[in-house]
Amino acid sequence: PMVSVIEARALAAAGEHDRALALLRDTQRQQDASGERWMAAEVWRVIGDMHQRMPGADRAAAEAAYQRAIDLAREQAARSWELRAATSLARLWLEHGERQRAAELLGRICDGFAAQADGADLVDARRLLAATRSH
């Protein structure tokens, strides 16, 4: 899955969004068929990113993919994957003026981490949370 995510990001950066999304969908189907769950939440999060960033962005598909990523991360008690997916979903909501929804989601997630924790994803989430509260 890691190689597929990296390759998909490279394809998207080259403007080949459809190929990137197809690669991620294939990876997701292979994971479902094999029962492999490692990185499943991250694959879904990146699928959401692809839907959000490709020409003719599909907000509903992006939101559904982010939510699927959050659900998978919660099932696995993978808090770091949950944090990344929640941050992506909150960012989508903020872009569409849904500040309160974004703040509630990020607040719940960030509260679950120790106050002194400072990983890059957590710092990003806290910065985004602060932005939801500053307007």
Side-chain angles (χ1 to χ4, degrees):
M2 178 66 86
V3 172
S4 296
V5 167
I6 292 168
E7 186 177 344
R9 286 183 178 148
L11 286 168
E16 298 192 41
H17 295 92
D18 290 335
R19 284 186 58 204
L21 190 55
L23 174 63
L24 291 168
R25 290 274 186 212
D26 285 345
T27 301
Q28 174 263 316
R29 280 191 287 276
Q30 289 171 10
Q31 284 183 309
D32 285 351
S34 70
E36 178 186 345
R37 306 311 277 170
W38 185 73
M39 282 194 68
E42 181 66 357
V43 169
W44 276 102
R45 187 188 72 78
V46 177
I47 288 172
D49 286 350
M50 294 299 150
H51 280 296
Q52 186 176 357
R53 294 188 178 113
M54 62 192 307
D58 185 342
R59 178 187 172 185
E63 190 168 344
Y66 292 142
Q67 190 58 59
R68 178 75 173 130
I70 291 167
D71 293 344
L72 284 167
R74 286 180 180 161
E75 287 173 18
Q76 297 175 328
R79 293 178 50 211
S80 61
W81 294 126
E82 181 183 2
L83 176 67
R84 293 187 85 186
T87 301
S88 293
L89 180 55
R91 192 168 279 119
L92 172 71
W93 286 342
L94 274 173
E95 288 174 9
H96 292 277
E98 297 179 56
R99 186 170 304 281
Q100 184 63 36
R101 272 180 97 183
E104 289 172 6
L105 176 63
L106 287 174
R108 283 193 309 268
I109 301 293
C110 289
D111 286 349
F113 287 85
Q116 68 275 14
D118 64 353
D121 290 332
L122 186 55
V123 169
D124 183 38
R126 286 181 175 150
R127 188 175 301 124
L128 191 60
L129 178 58
T132 68
R133 295 177 174 164
S134 67
H135 295 280

